[in-house]
Amino acid sequence: TQLLEQSPQFLSIQEGENLTVYCNSSSVFSSLQWYRQEPGEGPVLLVTVVTGGEVKKLKRLTFQFGDARKDSSLHITAAQPGDTGLYLCAAYYSGNTPLVFGKGTRLSVIA
Amino acid sequence: NAGVTQTPKFQVLKTGQSMTLQCAQDMNHNSMYWYRQDPGMGLRLIYYSASEGTTDKGEVPNGYNVSRLNKREFSLRLESAAPSQTSVYFCASSEAWRTGWGFGSGTRLTVV
């Protein structure tokens, strides 16, 4: 059974600060997705990373896929209250198994 | 473009009652999924359908059944609801295993 662990579980920061959220796997994964979920809504896909060492940027969000394909990180620069939400990583391993989700990091950005 | 539509949005059931959660997608996706989300547990896969005509168990299938009615629709049935099934249920669909994932807005189910 693959395990996907996210840290930290909770994060509360002031507007303008930087932060990094981590996602670590017990096994090598083929690709990894990052989602953001707001209260009362379903997860919304932010990015998919597929190549070891890959870095993708989405405005103030930077996503990195570890070289060993067992970890990923999400870095937010100059956080804003609109970044508040639950951030989920989800990995696709191989074969006929759907995405496995981490438990998420709940981010609160205070104005 | 509605994406993935789930009904109902909220439901309260008594222990032992049955109900069906409906899900429809308009993105012509092959694969569809049902997840449940509980505090501190993340999203856990209940059942999935890789393509029309096939269904498979996920991580937590006990107490649930599914039907892939056609390419667009995938329903989740609780035959005899239990308090442990109180949760938020999400339907999702994908173009392929890795790509084009979309989620519905969820059904909040309470079993009393």
Side-chain angles (χ1 to χ4, degrees):
Chain A
T1 303
Q2 293 91 351
L3 287 176
L4 207 55
E5 299 206 3
Q6 289 188 242
S7 61
Q9 192 174 356
F10 300 96
L11 193 55
S12 181
I13 62 171
Q14 296 291 323
E15 182 177 3
E17 292 184 348
N18 301 332
L19 67 112
T20 302
V21 174
Y22 299 93
C23 178
N24 292 286
S25 172
S26 57
S27 305
V28 173
F29 40 67
S30 298
S31 65
L32 188 123
Q33 299 180 357
W34 283 95
Y35 291 82
R36 189 173 87 187
Q37 184 179 16
E38 299 188 19
E41 298 295 328
V44 175
L45 180 64
L46 296 173
V47 75
T48 300
V49 285
V50 297
T51 305
E54 183 176 4
V55 177
K56 284 192 173 180
K57 292 191 175 184
L58 187 66
K59 296 183 181 177
R60 293 176 294 99
L61 277 61
T62 301
F63 304 86
Q64 186 154 7
F65 197 11
D67 291 338
R69 308 173 71 87
K70 294 180 68 176
D71 61 278
S72 181
S73 63
L74 159 59
H75 182 79
I76 301 179
T77 303
Q80 299 177 359
D83 295 326
T84 293
L86 179 68
Y87 288 82
L88 295 159
C89 65
Y92 170 71
Y93 288 91
S94 64
N96 293 325
T97 55
L99 285 179
V100 174
F101 281 83
K103 294 181 180 180
T105 293
R106 191 165 297 281
L107 172 65
S108 176
V109 182
I110 303 165
Chain B
N1 184 7
V4 180
T5 303
Q6 290 182 236
T7 56
K9 288 191 180 297
F10 301 93
Q11 183 71 49
V12 178
L13 289 179
K14 293 182 178 179
T15 297
Q17 286 185 319
S18 62
M19 78 163 294
T20 300
L21 281 65
Q22 306 286 353
C23 175
Q25 52 93 6
D26 62 4
M27 297 177 283
N28 201 35
H29 284 170
N30 289 315
S31 302
M32 298 186 73
Y33 315 84
W34 278 104
Y35 285 87
R36 60 177 287 175
Q37 187 174 37
D38 302 292
M41 297 296 292
L43 283 157
R44 293 183 292 170
L45 183 65
I46 305 171
Y47 270 94
Y48 64 100
S49 172
S51 60
E52 187 178 354
T54 68
T55 60
D56 285 285
K57 295 178 180 180
E59 181 185 356
V60 288
N62 291 343
Y64 306 95
N65 285 299
V66 291
S67 295
R68 182 75 183 267
L69 304 171
N70 48 57
K71 190 171 185 179
R72 290 186 64 248
E73 298 173 288
F74 188 38
S75 63
L76 178 71
R77 182 161 179 84
L78 287 70
E79 291 291 351
S80 179
S84 61
Q85 294 178 304
T86 293
S87 186
V88 182
Y89 291 85
F90 288 99
C91 176
S93 69
S94 69
E95 182 181 16
W97 286 120
R98 310 187 202 185
T99 62
W101 279 70
F103 280 81
S105 58
T107 296
R108 186 173 296 274
L109 175 67
T110 302
V111 183
V112 298

